[in-house]
Amino acid sequence: AQKITQTQPGMFVQEKEAVTLDCTYDTSDPSYGLFWYKQPSSGEMIFLIYQGSYDQQNATEGRYSLNFQKARKSANLVISASQLGDSAMYFCAMREGNFNKFYFGSGTKLNVKP
Amino acid sequence: GAGVSQSPSNKVTEKGKDVELRCDPISGHTALYWYRQRLGQGLEFLIYFQGNSAPDKSGLPSDRFSAERTGESVSTLTIQRTQQEDSAVYLCASSPARVDEQFFGPGTRLTVL
């Protein structure tokens, strides 16, 4: 089974609107971490936000928030007030327990329309 | 301060040749990761180094792939007898001890003709 599933290969959003990028994960380990990265066309990977499995509150970083629904094993990224510069690939990732591997999803390409 | 650097930025090689990719992590970062990203796809974990511990090589796709790291410094990823399916961007990331955030380098784009 896929450890990380991103079901939206591509998304469009109007500038200044909010958008939700979906991510579901699969693990039986009670301790894990969830991450979102942004990859612009330049290719660099930019860390956006982190959620630990034991964190009680949803993580927020500026315009980014992570909608963490533990029972559903989902960790959706919400971008508020989209900007043209948000156009990029977005990857969800997970680290399980004390293991060293990070599992990445296949990504969602977000296009912000003016 | 300086981020993670990788060299070369681009490498074109002929099938069957060996290639060596280099990663300079952020100073003081004990953890170092190598990933492969094929065109239009997500990142595949290759190998992980943590300080002087034995590396986690569980993601290496074949015995043609190997990596070394001396202490907490530079790492090299070597691909022997390259194949066309090895064409990808190879990304390196480092992180401080006991911190989950990874800092990525710009990657090396490898093209095998």
Side-chain angles (χ1 to χ4, degrees):
Chain A
Q2 293 275 4
K3 288 286 187 182
I4 295 287
T5 302
Q6 294 180 254
T7 57
Q8 306 154 313
M11 291 277 287
F12 285 91
V13 65
Q14 200 69 39
E15 192 178 9
K16 300 179 185 174
E17 292 186 350
V19 63
T20 298
L21 306 183
D22 294 342
C23 172
T24 57
Y25 59 92
D26 181 30
T27 182
S28 57
D29 197 311
S31 174
Y32 52 90
L34 298 159
F35 305 78
W36 277 92
Y37 285 86
K38 173 184 178 181
Q39 188 177 46
S41 55
S42 56
E44 62 192 299
M45 290 287 285
I46 303 167
F47 167 78
L48 295 178
I49 197 166
Y50 166 78
Q51 180 86 43
S53 59
Y54 295 118
D55 293 344
Q56 297 295 316
Q57 306 273 355
N58 284 348
T60 60
E61 289 286 347
R63 295 186 298 111
Y64 304 108
S65 60
L66 199 151
N67 184 0
F68 181 44
Q69 297 188 39
K70 200 168 183 176
R72 297 178 61 184
K73 293 190 175 178
S74 75
N76 298 340
L77 177 70
V78 180
I79 306 175
S80 63
S82 298
Q83 301 173 356
L84 296 178
D86 294 335
S87 293
M89 282 290 286
Y90 288 81
F91 292 98
C92 179
M94 176 179 68
R95 179 193 55 76
E96 285 182 311
N98 293 322
F99 296 120
N100 307 320
K101 276 185 180 181
F102 278 70
Y103 298 92
F104 281 78
S106 55
T108 295
K109 185 171 176 60
L110 178 66
N111 282 293
V112 180
K113 298 186 290 184
Chain B
V4 178
S5 61
Q6 292 186 245
S7 61
S9 55
N10 278 286
K11 176 73 177 177
V12 180
T13 190
E14 293 179 349
K15 179 181 171 181
K17 301 277 191 185
D18 297 352
V19 295
E20 204 170 83
L21 312 179
R22 177 186 168 110
C23 172
D24 281 272
I26 293 172
S27 178
H29 282 194
T30 58
L32 187 147
Y33 301 78
W34 282 99
Y35 294 91
R36 177 171 69 180
Q37 186 178 26
R38 291 194 165 115
L39 186 64
Q41 298 186 20
L43 278 66
E44 300 172 67
F45 167 85
L46 296 177
I47 189 168
Y48 163 84
F49 296 91
Q50 173 65 56
N52 293 315
S53 302
D56 177 350
K57 304 180 181 180
S58 58
L60 294 178
S62 78
D63 59 8
R64 296 187 296 104
F65 288 73
S66 63
E68 292 184 350
R69 187 186 187 197
T70 306
E72 297 179 358
S73 62
V74 169
S75 175
T76 55
L77 175 69
T78 301
I79 309 173
Q80 295 178 308
R81 304 181 303 282
T82 51
Q83 304 293 313
Q84 288 182 331
E85 63 261 28
D86 299 334
S87 296
V89 174
Y90 289 82
L91 289 161
C92 174
S94 71
S95 67
R98 295 184 294 279
V99 173
D100 283 318
E101 180 180 347
Q102 297 176 71
F103 296 81
F104 281 84
T108 293
R109 182 175 299 278
L110 174 66
T111 303
V112 182
L113 302 176

